[in-house]
């Protein structure tokens, strides 16, 4: 029996009386490549943020690995790739290495004793996305496609079981987009990482996704909720 | 140049200057990258109210500056919530309140005096031994805090959502960096002055960012720029008998201009 990693039940989120999400329920299992899709303003990113505990729903429940999201604490199990435009200013002075290291230090100090282990993880994460030679480069001076790969490496750094992605290919050219999806496919099918992606362009990931949730006016469209097992 | 170091006040000014040059960019880096540059002005004006209160009621103005700037740091964070989406309003409200209180206290204290002018514009002659001890203590708190929290502060500056998801308490660290900024303001007031202290939080960082380096290197470069500005500013302040705050900030601006010219020349 497949392990249920993310469960949402009757999730409701509103600003005042204006419902952004209404009675959204879903199950996502280990190893899934799940896509949350829908037109702009349908509530996709809001749903993703609720699943990550960044926003608190007014109604319903979310469970991550069987625990209510409010009580979940094993965040090293979770990788997150934000929308690039929301994530950072391209003039931010940070090297690729510094970006990938960031989540690895969430519980430790400047004078860390396991610097060597952390450097090894950074090397491995960057190599796995084909960015091993860019460690010392400034993140803002890379192409958009390369930046997305660095963000994937950052999400992979803690060896997560799930990676959440919010419109990861926004602003990427077609060639980089294809390379990016090939990388995701490999992470999902070879490494077994569960992927939960928000995208407004489902056609691009149709061949990879095995679970699709179509959001329309804040509700999950039942007709679209089909499991496409490949 | 060496002869002026024989004077006790100049030795104290240099010790204070070194602390200012280390702590301002150390906190300024996070303030600038989190786009909170205005917080320096807000906290410094709140600390002015504390200084004026000290002068009015006869207690050591440094304590007043510390108490008011900490209170301002707390209120800035508290006010962010009711003004969600327009968080910068919390800065404006506290800044206005700080100035208003300072003006009232100064008026009640029967106007300006030389000591107040020293706090406003910085003075090399004004740093007392007591000031130095407090500055050393606050600087130690700032440096140790940043050393311990460095990676987390970097993460919340670069990607606050990612930091929150990795289990970091972003709201607490946002408040803590504001609190450290209030300590930095108090440390810097004697040498740089209330009116210019926020410049020293921003200018060395802005100059270092033009060098195109990573975060840690930019941080160290900004401290070096601040050290150069403070040392030259203090010596010029002594020899030309001008306010140290103005001299230090003008040196910082000069370095920024030089770096921008060199950078533009390289890119051409």
């Amino acid at each position: 029996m497949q392990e249920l990693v993310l469960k949402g039940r009757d999730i409701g989120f509103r600003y005042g009386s204006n419902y952004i999400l209404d009675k959204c329920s879903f199950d996502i299992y280990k190893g899934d490549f799940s896509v949350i899709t829908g037109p702009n303003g349908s509530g996709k990113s809001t749903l993703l943020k609720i699943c990550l505990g960044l926003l608190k729903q007014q109604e319903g429940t979310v469970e991550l690995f069987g625990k209510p999201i409010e009580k979940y604490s094993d965040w090293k199990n979770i990788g997150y790739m934000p929308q690039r435009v929301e994530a950072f200013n391209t003039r931010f002075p940070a090297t690729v290495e510094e970006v990938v290291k960031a989540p690895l230090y969430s519980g430790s100090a400047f004078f860390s004793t396991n610097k060597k282990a952390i450097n090894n993880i950074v090397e491995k994460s960057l190599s796995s996305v084909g960015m091993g030679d860019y460690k010392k480069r400034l993140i803002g001076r890379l192409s958009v496609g390369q930046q997305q790969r660095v963000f994937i490496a950052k999400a992979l750094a803690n060896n997560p079981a799930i990676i959440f992605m919010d419109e990861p290919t926004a602003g990427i050219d077609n060639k980089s987009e294809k390379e990016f999806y090939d990388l995701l496919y490999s992470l999902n099918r070879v490494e077994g990482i569960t992927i939960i992606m928000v995208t407004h362009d489902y056609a691009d990931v149709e061949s990879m996704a095995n679970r699709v949730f179509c959001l329309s006016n804040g509700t999950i469209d039942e007709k679209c909720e089909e499991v496409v097992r490949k | 140049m060496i002869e002026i170091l024989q004077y006790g006040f100049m030795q104290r000014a240099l010790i204070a200057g070194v602390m200012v040059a280390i702590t301002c960019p150390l906190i300024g880096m996070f303030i600038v990258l989190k786009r909170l540059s205005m917080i320096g002005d807000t906290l410094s004006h709140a600390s002015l109210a504390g200084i004026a209160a000290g002068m009015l009621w006869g207690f050591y103005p440094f304590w007043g500056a510390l108490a008011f700037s900490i209170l301002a740091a707390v209120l800035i964070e508290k006010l962010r919530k009711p003004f969600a989406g327009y968080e910068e309003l919390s800065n404006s409200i506290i800044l206005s309140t700080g100035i208003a209180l300072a003006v009232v206290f100064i008026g009640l204290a029967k106007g300006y005096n030389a000591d107040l002018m020293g706090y406003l514009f910085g003075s090399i002659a004004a740093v007392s031994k007591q000031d130095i001890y407090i500055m050393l203590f606050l600087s130690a708190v700032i440096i140790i805090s940043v050393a311990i929290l460095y990676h987390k502060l970097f993460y919340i500056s670069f990607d606050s959502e990612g930091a929150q998801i990795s289990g970091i308490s972003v709201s607490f660290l946002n408040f803590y960096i504001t609190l450290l900024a209030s300590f930095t303001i108090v440390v810097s007031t004697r040498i740089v002055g209330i009116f210019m202290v926020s410049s020293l939080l921003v200018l060395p960082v802005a100059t270092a960012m033009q060098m195109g380096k990573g975060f840690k290197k930019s941080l160290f470069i900004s401290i070096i720029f601040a050290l150069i500005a403070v040392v030259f500013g203090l010596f010029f302040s002594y020899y030309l008998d001008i306010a140290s705050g103005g001299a230090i900030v003008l040196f910082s601006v000069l370095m920024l201009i030089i770096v921008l010219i060199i950078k533009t020349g390289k890119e051409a």
Side-chain angles (χ1 to χ4, degrees):
Chain A
M1 190 179 160
Q2 277 187 298
E3 184 189 351
L4 184 62
V5 292
L6 182 65
K7 184 169 103 175
R9 287 292 177 272
D10 299 323
I11 296 170
F13 184 85
R14 54 186 151 66
Y15 289 113
S17 58
N18 183 24
Y19 270 88
I20 308 297
L21 296 170
D22 188 19
K23 291 187 172 56
C24 290
S25 298
F26 53 85
D27 290 329
I28 292 174
Y29 293 88
K30 188 178 177 185
D32 276 356
F33 193 124
S34 301
V35 171
I36 302 168
T37 191
N40 288 336
S42 58
K44 306 183 295 288
S45 293
T46 304
L47 183 58
L48 194 77
K49 285 179 179 173
I50 288 170
C51 293
L52 285 162
L54 291 171
L55 288 174
K56 174 88 181 87
Q57 74 279 10
Q58 285 100 348
E59 293 157 21
T61 57
V62 179
E63 287 182 11
L64 199 50
F65 291 102
K67 279 190 179 172
I69 193 74
E70 300 81 7
K71 291 181 180 167
Y72 189 77
S73 59
D74 190 15
W75 290 106
K76 290 201 168 176
N77 227 1
I78 308 299
Y80 173 57
M81 191 171 165
Q83 271 194 46
R84 175 185 161 274
V85 283
E86 280 184 7
F88 80 114
N89 183 323
T90 53
R91 297 186 80 89
F92 193 102
T95 60
V96 165
E97 185 181 24
E98 287 174 320
V99 170
V100 179
K101 268 183 187 174
L104 295 170
Y105 282 100
S106 56
S108 55
F110 181 63
F111 301 109
S112 175
T113 49
N114 56 356
K115 264 185 184 166
K116 200 176 171 188
I118 281 174
N119 285 337
N120 286 340
I121 294 170
V122 171
E123 295 269 0
K124 193 179 154 210
S125 299
L126 283 171
S127 298
S128 70
V129 298
M131 292 296 290
D133 296 333
Y134 293 81
K135 213 168 77 171
K136 301 290 178 192
R137 297 274 289 273
L138 282 181
I139 180 85
R141 293 198 182 161
L142 302 178
S143 70
V144 179
Q146 288 171 327
Q147 285 169 2
Q148 296 300 72
R149 283 175 172 268
V150 173
F151 279 117
I152 283 272
K154 173 173 159 279
L156 287 172
N158 271 324
N159 198 19
I162 308 179
I163 299 181
F164 288 83
M165 299 179 179
D166 193 356
E167 301 278 8
T169 55
I172 297 189
D173 62 71
N174 288 342
K175 183 174 171 285
S176 302
E177 189 177 273
K178 171 149 189 344
E179 287 171 359
F180 180 78
Y181 284 136
D182 288 345
L183 174 64
L184 285 195
Y185 187 82
S186 160
L187 289 173
N188 178 244
R189 300 299 156 98
V190 181
E191 306 288 332
I193 296 173
T194 306
I195 289 179
I196 301 169
M197 181 196 287
V198 159
T199 179
H200 67 277
D201 201 351
Y202 171 59
D204 291 335
V205 286
E206 190 178 3
S207 61
M208 292 189 285
N210 70 321
R211 207 173 293 277
V212 184
F213 303 96
C214 294
L215 272 173
S216 175
N217 296 322
T219 56
I220 292 176
D221 190 331
E222 295 295 329
K223 287 175 190 167
C224 179
E225 192 189 348
E226 53 183 321
V227 181
V228 189
R229 299 226 173 261
K230 300 284 176 185
Chain B
M1 187 178 274
I2 298 300
E3 77 202 38
I4 64 166
L5 293 176
Q6 292 167 354
Y7 300 121
F9 76 89
M10 202 62 198
Q11 290 168 2
R12 288 193 296 277
L14 265 178
I15 293 168
V18 169
M19 286 189 273
V20 169
I22 293 170
T23 54
C24 276
L26 207 53
I27 297 303
M29 190 78 177
F30 299 104
I31 299 271
V32 168
L33 293 174
K34 287 177 71 57
R35 299 173 190 228
L36 295 169
S37 299
M38 198 187 167
I39 221 163
D41 282 315
T42 305
L43 293 171
S44 61
H45 285 86
S47 74
L48 177 61
I51 287 165
M55 289 174 169
L56 176 61
W57 284 296
F59 57 85
Y60 184 46
F62 243 57
W63 296 130
L66 190 59
F68 273 66
S69 56
I70 290 172
L71 182 65
V74 173
L75 292 175
I76 288 168
E77 288 305 313
K78 289 272 178 208
L79 281 175
R80 279 189 206 285
K81 212 171 180 184
F83 293 104
Y86 297 94
E87 285 89 352
E88 69 277 11
L89 277 175
S90 68
N91 271 313
S92 303
I93 293 163
I94 301 300
L95 189 148
S96 313
T97 311
I99 294 175
L101 280 173
V103 168
V104 169
F105 292 157
I106 289 166
L108 290 171
K110 306 294 178 206
Y112 290 88
N113 60 42
D115 206 19
L116 180 65
M117 295 300 276
Y119 280 110
L120 290 177
F121 303 111
S123 165
I124 50 173
V127 185
S128 67
K129 272 188 182 172
Q130 193 181 2
D131 294 341
I132 290 284
Y133 294 141
I134 295 171
M135 291 165 85
L136 274 171
F137 172 72
L138 292 177
S139 299
V141 172
I142 294 164
I143 293 165
I144 291 168
S145 295
V146 172
I148 292 171
L149 299 169
Y150 173 81
H151 290 284
K152 291 178 183 176
L153 292 174
F154 167 81
Y155 204 2
I156 66 164
S157 306
F158 179 75
D159 172 14
S160 66
E161 280 190 351
Q164 195 172 336
I165 290 162
S166 76
I168 294 171
S169 175
V170 174
S171 55
F172 171 74
L173 284 184
N174 279 339
F175 166 69
Y176 196 65
I177 199 76
T178 308
L179 190 68
L180 291 179
S182 73
F183 291 176
T184 310
I185 298 293
V186 176
V187 167
S188 313
T189 299
R190 270 308 201 190
I191 289 292
V192 190
I194 296 282
F195 285 151
M196 281 158 290
V197 62
S198 68
S199 315
L200 215 59
L201 283 172
V202 173
L203 283 169
V205 175
T207 311
M209 281 173 70
Q210 298 303 317
M211 309 289 282
K213 303 289 181 190
F215 191 86
K216 198 182 284 180
K217 280 186 183 168
S218 297
L219 190 55
F220 283 117
I221 291 169
S222 66
I223 290 172
I224 290 167
F225 280 137
L227 279 169
I228 295 169
V230 164
V231 171
F232 276 88
L234 288 177
F235 281 114
F236 271 76
S237 169
Y238 172 79
Y239 283 114
L240 301 178
D241 193 21
I242 53 176
S244 52
I248 291 167
V249 170
L250 283 176
F251 265 102
S252 299
V253 173
L254 184 66
M255 276 189 287
L256 175 61
I257 292 169
I258 291 170
V259 167
L260 283 173
I261 290 171
I262 292 171
K263 192 184 169 195
T264 311
K266 275 185 181 173
E267 286 171 357

